[in-house]
Amino acid sequence: MSLLERTGVAMTPGNIRTRKLSTAVVLGIAVAAVALAAVVVFGLGIGNWVLVVALGGVFYLAGVYVAASRVEGRRAARNRTWSALIHSACVLAILPLASVVWTLVSKGMERLDGDFFGSSMNNIGARDPEGGAYHAIVGTLEQVGIATVITVPLGVLGAIYLVEYGRGRFAAAIRFFVDVMTGIPSIVAGLFVLSFYVLIVTPWFNDGRPGFSGFAAALALSVLMLPTIVRSTEEMLRLVPGPLREGAYALGVPKWKTILRIVLPTALSGIVTGIMLAIARAAGETAPVLLVAGGGAAINFNAFENNQSSLALFVYQQAGDASRYAPARAWTAALTLVALVLILTIAAKLLARRNQLTR
Amino acid sequence: MGDTSPRSAETGTGGTLTTDGRRGSAGGGVPPAHTPDSPGLGGGGGLPRRTRFGMESGFRVLTLAAGAMVLVIIVAIAVFLISKAVPALRANTENFFTFNGWSPNGTEPRFGIAALAFGTVLSAVLALLVAVPVALGIALFLSHYAPRRIATPLGFVIDLLAAVPSVVFGLWGRDVFINPVRDFSVWLNEYFGWLPIFGGDGPFGRSIMLGALVLAIMVLPIITSLSREVFLQTPAMNEEAALALGATKWEMIRTAVLPYGKPGIIAAVMLGLGRALGETIALAMTLGITFDISANLIENGGNTIAANIANAFGEANDTGRGALIASGLVLFAITLVVNMTARAIIYRRREFRDSAA
């Protein structure tokens, strides 16, 4: 935001000029554009109201450009056109997103009952309208929980290394590859755990057969969560004021104790925010769970043995199911998943707002 | 924090607060001959000697190991994917890079990623063509056009959208969004059917166009929030200078905001590209899984490396899994290159580093 807008000085380029296109003319152009578009479209019979709106928008832009360059000059006309385009980009983006939210709520409410949260898909055939996502919710919570337990110590310690100890090329390389790792596709993380854990490690304990499990999914989710947690923790640790550390050193506190007792608690709320965002992202991942957890219809509390499902995987499987009751289950599970993820995200953002360390 | 100098790291003051691990050497004291300073000043003579296995070095090694874990994981991904891909590639009876089809489960495995790689790149590029202008428009709206009480909640909503799982977008794409896209495809086919990309005679709907549009909606929030951050960082001096010279708002944006934010925009687009290339489930649910290289955007068809992995994994045997892992390796390499380029651009302009998390 510029100084001009902040201070409310009235001399912006828009009103120094004396001659200005009046609002009435702009409105008139808009009405004429839509009318012209309607005549063209319905007259030729080449489309419906969507085309009228699209064509009307084009006519409006052209009309305003011509009128404004007559009255205000070409530069002001160009300004108007771009401003209109930027505003319409916003509208264009909000339409599909509103549609997503609307369908999610309207279709998701259909099966939102106690049965859905209290039963699994075990022994549910194509003709049964019952069935629920209890097993999937259990799977999601266990997998995300294990992944968090693995990743949080690793990620926070890694971030401490980058901020407090890391110097030179090695630390720079780690920092660079943390950023690169953020962009690793989730399916590649799934394939990695598949080729490493499921196909190589588990056959040792499993009579030579690969064993799919919720733990394998948790490992894949850890690979996805690690860079996010390292990155957000690193940023938070950097915000801790240097004098705090120096004060501790001056009192004779060793460095490791300074980090654990002074630096980490100061940055704690920010670190927790980052962790919650990472959890939210991991909870919505489908592809790695599909590859290494195997999915399953029954409730399985043991994450280390046998197939397990997850909410995201449940949505995917129900969406591909031929049963006519499956779509309702898929939408309700999607609504549950989005609610879970959004609650985590919003809580994280609210926590971040209370954080005293700001840039 | 000066951990290289033993004085500050080893916590002076005669061992009032030292740890148990270092007690022994602190109690014994260091002979004055070892310290260049006179022992009476600042208690230098009482400084504990650096021990090899104290808490300090132990903690340091612990954090170093955690940090190095990232490099280990990246290398391990490459190593294990290669180790599982090689046997399948050996068994392949066709050229992996040029063959156009996927039947790795038979006695004579035949598979190649030509069509998959083509579909991956085509859908990602189309998605970016749609998403980038719109995302930049929204970013400019949020940073320079919208009043603050609209910009803050709208920015918050955009951030929330980045958190919506891809499977939800996939479900919405195949259940809801497919209807308008099918209507639009039929319309395009009727009036622009003479163009090869809009040709064909149906059925329409589960096409590259649907997949690319869903993908565009998914990468929109990422590109928007990154480039908004960059636009907000434009120095107010530059903007005011442009306005003071009589520039209109758009001229100010074009001459001050966009040039300043260019590296950030490029990086945001590259990160969006990396995300689009690797997207799996949404495309597995919206594309009509075929194996042909066709520029037709609206007929049922299209496939990507990631979507093929999700779809073909269920019925894959050992060789089939190896083949899918081999295609995943290619995807890993592509996204690694794209992401490294994006990060290198961001790193060259250090100002943007913090915003591009």
Side-chain angles (χ1 to χ4, degrees), chain A residues 2-4 13 45-46 51 75 79 82-83 86-87 89-90 93 96-97 99-100 103-104 154 157-158 160-161 165 167 170 174-181 183-185 187-188 191-192 194-196 199-200 212 226 231 235 249 251-256 259-260 284 286-287 290-291 312 315-316 319 330-331 334 337-338 341 345-346 349 359, chain B residues 1 3 11 17 19 55-56 59-60 62-64 66-71 73-74 76-77 80-81 84 134 137-138 140-141 145 154 156 159-161 163 165 167-168 171-172 174-176 187 191 217 220 240 243 246-251 278 280-281 285 306 309-311 313 321 324-325 328 331-332 335-336 339-340 343-344 347 353-354 357:
Chain A
S2 68
L3 183 68
L4 291 173
I46 54 169
L51 189 61
R75 290 172 50 215
N79 186 35
W82 277 105
S83 166
I86 284 171
H87 282 82
C90 232
L97 299 171
S99 164
V100 172
T103 10
L104 203 55
L154 212 55
L157 284 176
I160 289 175
Y161 173 75
Y165 293 107
R167 298 281 180 278
F170 186 64
I174 291 182
R175 198 169 291 131
F176 181 75
F177 277 102
V178 166
D179 280 344
V180 170
M181 204 175 156
I184 287 184
I187 191 113
V188 171
L191 285 177
F192 164 58
L194 175 77
S195 59
F196 159 65
L199 294 183
I200 293 181
F212 296 88
L226 185 63
R231 205 67 188 85
E235 257 172 51
Y249 297 148
L251 291 173
V253 183
K255 188 165 183 178
W256 66 274
I259 294 168
L260 289 184
T286 319
L290 172 74
L291 292 190
V315 176
Y316 178 64
W331 279 104
L337 183 59
V338 169
V341 168
T345 313
I346 291 174
K349 301 259 173 192
R359 240 173 248 167
Chain B
M1 291 310 131
D3 54 315
T11 73
L17 256 171
T19 59
M55 277 302 277
E56 182 59 54
F59 188 68
R60 193 192 156 99
L62 197 66
T63 61
L64 174 66
M69 212 39 208
V70 173
L71 297 182
I73 290 177
I74 295 236
I77 291 178
F80 282 101
L81 290 191
K84 283 289 162 187
V134 177
I138 302 174
L140 280 176
F141 179 77
Y145 281 86
L154 200 60
F156 189 70
D159 284 347
L160 285 189
L161 284 171
V167 68
V168 174
L171 187 63
W172 174 77
R174 74 182 275 155
D175 274 15
V176 180
W187 182 82
Y191 293 98
I217 295 169
L220 195 69
E240 283 153 14
L243 290 176
T248 61
K249 192 156 194 169
W250 167 248
E251 285 165 343
T280 311
I281 289 297
M285 292 169 86
I309 295 174
N311 276 317
F313 182 75
R321 277 185 198 143
L324 293 176
I325 288 173
L331 181 64
F332 178 61
T335 49
L336 209 58
N339 278 305
M340 283 169 74
R343 293 301 173 181
Y347 274 45
R353 216 195 62 203
D354 285 340

Side-chain angles (χ1 to χ4, degrees), chain B residues 260-285:
Chain B
Y260 182 84
K262 198 169 156 199
I265 297 172
I266 295 172
V269 171
M270 295 288 278
L271 289 179
L273 180 65
R275 184 78 176 259
L277 287 171
E279 178 49 49
T280 311
I281 289 297
L283 287 177
M285 292 169 86

Side-chain angles (χ1 to χ4, degrees), chain A residues 232-243:
Chain A
S232 60
T233 308
E234 188 199 343
E235 257 172 51
M236 279 303 134
L237 292 181
R238 280 194 196 288
L239 293 180
V240 175

Side-chain angles (χ1 to χ4, degrees), chain A residues 12-87:
Chain A
T12 57
N15 58 17
I16 296 173
R17 294 186 161 273
T18 43
R19 297 209 303 161
K20 243 188 130 219
L21 205 58
S22 71
T23 323
V25 175
V26 176
L27 277 178
I29 293 174
V31 173
V34 173
L36 182 63
V39 168
V40 170
V41 170
F42 293 123
L44 296 174
I46 54 169
N48 57 10
W49 60 272
V50 181
L51 189 61
V52 172
V53 173
L55 211 56
V58 176
F59 287 158
Y60 169 78
L61 283 180
V64 166
Y65 183 78
V66 170
S69 35
R70 272 287 173 77
V71 180
E72 299 174 336
R74 186 171 297 161
R75 290 172 50 215
R78 204 170 289 151
N79 186 35
R80 269 182 193 278
T81 314
W82 277 105
S83 166
L85 279 176
I86 284 171
H87 282 82

Side-chain angles (χ1 to χ4, degrees), chain B residues 5-218:
Chain B
S5 99
R7 183 80 74 82
S8 61
E10 292 297 306
T11 73
T13 66
T16 44
L17 256 171
T18 43
T19 59
D20 297 337
R22 247 184 275 122
R23 257 296 177 204
S25 64
V30 182
H34 284 218
T35 54
D37 306 318
S38 73
L41 289 176
L47 276 179
R49 193 202 295 252
R50 180 184 280 262
T51 50
R52 197 174 283 175
F53 298 110
M55 277 302 277
E56 182 59 54
S57 54
F59 188 68
R60 193 192 156 99
V61 169
L62 197 66
T63 61
L64 174 66
M69 212 39 208
V70 173
L71 297 182
V72 172
I73 290 177
I74 295 236
V75 173
I77 291 178
V79 167
F80 282 101
L81 290 191
I82 291 172
S83 77
K84 283 289 162 187
V86 165
L89 289 176
R90 286 251 170 81
N92 192 4
T93 52
E94 295 281 350
N95 187 325
F96 178 64
F97 290 104
T98 55
F99 182 64
N100 201 356
W102 200 265
S103 43
N105 297 317
T107 47
E108 273 192 8
R110 298 146 55 83
F111 56 90
I113 55 162
L116 297 176
F118 175 79
T120 306
V121 173
L122 179 65
S123 58
V125 167
L126 274 180
L128 284 186
L129 280 182
V130 176
V132 168
V134 177
L136 292 185
I138 302 174
L140 280 176
F141 179 77
L142 291 177
S143 65
H144 285 86
Y145 281 86
R148 182 161 277 240
R149 71 196 145 76
I150 297 179
T152 314
L154 200 60
F156 189 70
V157 170
I158 299 275
D159 284 347
L160 285 189
L161 284 171
V164 172
S166 59
V167 68
V168 174
F169 281 110
L171 187 63
W172 174 77
R174 74 182 275 155
D175 274 15
V176 180
F177 195 43
I178 190 167
N179 297 318
V181 168
R182 186 185 290 125
D183 294 346
F184 186 48
S185 301
V186 171
W187 182 82
L188 278 176
N189 184 248
E190 189 176 339
Y191 293 98
F192 298 94
W194 42 272
L195 283 171
I197 51 171
F198 298 134
D201 25 50
F204 305 115
R206 297 194 58 167
S207 55
I208 285 274
M209 175 137 87
L210 176 63
L213 287 177
V214 170
L215 212 47
I217 295 169
M218 292 176 60

